[in-house]
Amino acid sequence: MTTIRFAGAQIPVTPYTQTNVMEIRRAIDWAAENRVDYLVTPEASLSGYTKDFHNNHNRIIDALLEIEKYAANKHVGLCLGTLWDELDGIRRNQIRFYNPEGIFLGAVNKHFQIEYDTEVGVLGDSRKYLIALPINDKIIPIGGLICVDMYGVPDQPSIPYILKNLGATVLIHSTNGIRNIKPTNGLSTELSDQIANDWHDINLRRASFLRRTPILTVDNCYMFDGTEYYGNTSSESGVLIDGEWVTKVPRSGTQYFYYDLPLTNIAIDMPDFFKST
Amino acid sequence: MTDIVRFGGAQIPCSSSIDANLITLKKAIDWAAENDVEYLVTPEAALSGYSDDFNDNPAKLADALAEIELYAIKKHVGLCLGTLWNEIEFNGNIKRNQIRYYKNDGKFLGITNKNITIEQDARMGIVNDHRILGMILPVGPTSEQVILAGGLICVDLFGTIDRDNVPSVLYSMGIKLMIHATNGMRGEWPTNPEETELADEVMDHWHDANFRRYSFLSKVPIITVDNCYMMDGKEYHGKTSSQSGVIINGRWATKVPRTGTQYFYYDFNLKDIVYTPPINTDTL
């Protein structure tokens, strides 16, 4: 095995868990058919990005169990975006990582909490760490970023920079950016979307260029809050390498893509403590 | 009372020769005078040049500054002049990368220093200045109205890792105009020259997206001016590192071609940018 196949599913993220489960299962089917090793989904793709997501947390637990089993049966690893009530009682916006056998590898939480996260009751997590994806006798150190973690906020450290310094060789970006919403400054929605799009695009390109780290990014294709929408996503979904898009998909509707990353560029020797466990 | 204030920008060569820069600046002042410009903005280090040896002859730089000051007075042009400078400060003589502000009658209004210095600044001994200051610019013949402007030099506008976001701080201070003098890297990507074309393209889009986003989010206009030579002053006829012009509410209101010497002006509606002092409650 000289490459690893990562894929992205630009899918609708609705407020309805059962609808989201169906969308993710379809994406897993596609991934299995295309021999994908790890499938990346948008931010909050299982739970939906809604203020009442926690009203029926048992339903989300059941949905997660269903997706975990389905992906393991199909032998597809997951980088699954969802809101989640952690065991410590803290609500997180996170990416959950599973290997193709269904083993849970860990989760990374959103660092920067935006206003909407606050309304949803999600807390930002200032801890920065990597997820180790085992492959053969090596590991791929993955940095996980959710939405604005990639673009940064004023007076806060750059997360892509920190993750690169920690040793990340691939950045996984699950997002669900604002789109088609009238900005509060009274200027036009169209201009707002265009400026946000250009801002996202150049941040993704610049981070992959300066940090020399491939980025896989996936956006929701509905509105931010799950309302049905057929316009452009907030940001491009695809893979960037050294500042350029190497795969892209149309900007509206459900779209899948994959990319084969050479292991020589991204896998490192497994540390001894990993071997013993 | 005047209704508008005219700011000009001079995208000019910033060479490593102070003599050459003097001639270039005088030509820009001539153009500004002919076009009734009230304040002319120059690129970063337009007088001193942005070269390692700028400080070899401080007396020459001081003479050049005095000459430009007198010339601008004679032509009745206010200046937002980018230069490296040995500043005499409370703690002694400190090298700064700064914008010096002069009214069109020659009155020195103050300076803003580069907040976020880069490797090239450090090599020249330039010290960053953590203070983020607004600059009060009087306008009109009687100076009865003022603008509270923010001065940013190069990366101050684009930001860096782990440092204050200068535009956001200036916005919080209530500034109504951002003045950006820049001299970004172009034409030679130091870590890998073979990637220069891609690096220039990525950085160009990065600059553009920042200008548009900050002006859109803040609704504060930005006037930005770049050097048209290489960063270190070598002759260059390729594209500037960033667009020179004026951006308002996320759109370029005026732009100039990306190569060579280019002048532009923009008439700001004073009602949009004039400074309204806080209400003194003692008088109520």
Side-chain angles (χ1 to χ4, degrees), chain A residues 154-155 157-158 161 183 185 187 191-192 194-195 198-199 202-203 205-206 209-212 242 244, chain B residues 161-165 168 189 195 198-199 201-203 205-206 209-210 212-213 216 219 249-251:
Chain A
D155 309 333
S158 157
Y161 174 79
N185 62 11
L187 299 174
L191 180 62
S192 174
Q194 187 199 334
I195 284 175
D198 293 351
W199 172 248
I202 198 57
N203 270 277
R205 291 188 61 206
R206 186 169 176 266
F209 180 74
L210 293 179
R211 311 293 164 230
R212 298 288 154 182
D242 294 341
E244 305 200 85
Chain B
I161 294 153
D162 288 340
R163 288 293 304 275
D164 283 346
N165 179 285
S168 115
W189 190 243
E195 288 187 325
L198 176 63
E201 191 246 326
V202 169
M203 297 315 288
H205 280 87
W206 167 248
N210 273 279
R212 293 173 56 219
R213 183 167 180 267
F216 180 81
K219 295 178 88 172
N249 292 341
R251 295 183 199 273

Side-chain angles (χ1 to χ4, degrees), chain B residues 24-251:
Chain B
T24 301
L25 283 167
K26 283 182 173 180
K27 277 188 209 155
I29 291 168
D30 289 342
W31 170 86
E34 285 159 19
N35 288 279
D36 299 321
V37 166
E38 193 157 351
Y39 285 97
L40 175 68
V41 182
T42 76
E44 176 182 10
L47 178 64
S48 57
Y50 196 48
S51 59
D52 291 355
D53 58 358
F54 94 92
N55 204 34
D56 285 355
N57 192 345
K60 182 167 187 166
L61 181 58
D63 288 347
L65 179 63
E67 190 172 335
I68 284 298
E69 287 172 346
L70 288 173
Y71 196 79
I73 293 169
K74 199 170 107 189
K75 296 284 183 170
H76 205 63
V77 172
L79 291 178
C80 309
L81 177 70
T83 190
L84 309 185
W85 189 249
N86 278 300
E87 192 65 43
I88 300 165
E89 299 188 7
F90 188 76
N91 292 320
N93 207 331
I94 298 180
K95 292 190 187 77
R96 298 293 193 189
N97 184 345
Q98 63 185 207
I99 304 173
R100 301 177 68 85
Y101 301 84
Y102 299 88
K103 190 167 159 42
N104 55 10
D105 59 6
K107 185 181 177 192
F108 178 52
L109 302 169
I111 55 170
T112 55
N113 295 318
K114 192 171 188 178
N115 186 273
I116 302 171
T117 48
I118 61 169
E119 190 184 334
Q120 284 84 346
D121 291 305
R123 209 170 53 213
M124 289 182 257
I126 302 286
V127 179
N128 60 6
D129 188 349
H130 291 284
R131 298 167 296 180
I132 299 175
L133 306 172
M135 181 57 52
I136 293 172
L137 303 181
V139 294
T142 58
S143 300
E144 61 193 284
Q145 297 178 92
V146 297
I147 300 166
L148 183 58
L152 304 100
I153 300 179
C154 198
V155 72
D156 286 346
L157 195 137
F158 311 120
T160 189
I161 294 153
D162 288 340
R163 288 293 304 275
D164 283 346
N165 179 285
V166 181
S168 115
V169 175
L170 289 169
Y171 174 73
S172 302
M173 289 165 57
I175 59 116
K176 298 290 186 195
L177 176 67
M178 293 194 211
I179 293 171
H180 182 236
T182 191
N183 181 5
M185 199 172 284
R186 85 282 316 259
E188 191 174 38
W189 190 243
T191 49
N192 184 0
E194 287 178 7
E195 288 187 325
T196 296
E197 195 179 329
L198 176 63
D200 280 358
E201 191 246 326
V202 169
M203 297 315 288
D204 184 21
H205 280 87
W206 167 248
H207 297 146
D208 186 69
N210 273 279
F211 287 134
R212 293 173 56 219
R213 183 167 180 267
Y214 284 129
S215 79
F216 180 81
L217 293 177
S218 67
K219 295 178 88 172
V220 174
I222 301 171
I223 178 167
T224 177
V225 185
D226 197 0
N227 166 26
C228 65
Y229 270 15
M230 295 280 278
M231 191 164 78
D232 62 2
K234 286 195 204 89
E235 195 171 332
Y236 178 64
H237 300 286
K239 278 174 76 174
T240 56
S241 175
S242 57
Q243 175 74 53
S244 299
V246 173
I247 315 114
I248 297 178
N249 292 341
R251 295 183 199 273

Side-chain angles (χ1 to χ4, degrees), chain B residues 1-7 38 139-142 144-147 266-274:
Chain B
M1 293 245 281
T2 178
D3 294 331
I4 59 158
V5 56
R6 178 168 292 179
F7 274 77
E38 193 157 351
V139 294
T142 58
E144 61 193 284
Q145 297 178 92
V146 297
I147 300 166
Y266 190 82
D267 293 335
F268 291 96
N269 207 326
L270 259 183
K271 72 176 171 46
D272 296 333
I273 62 170
V274 74

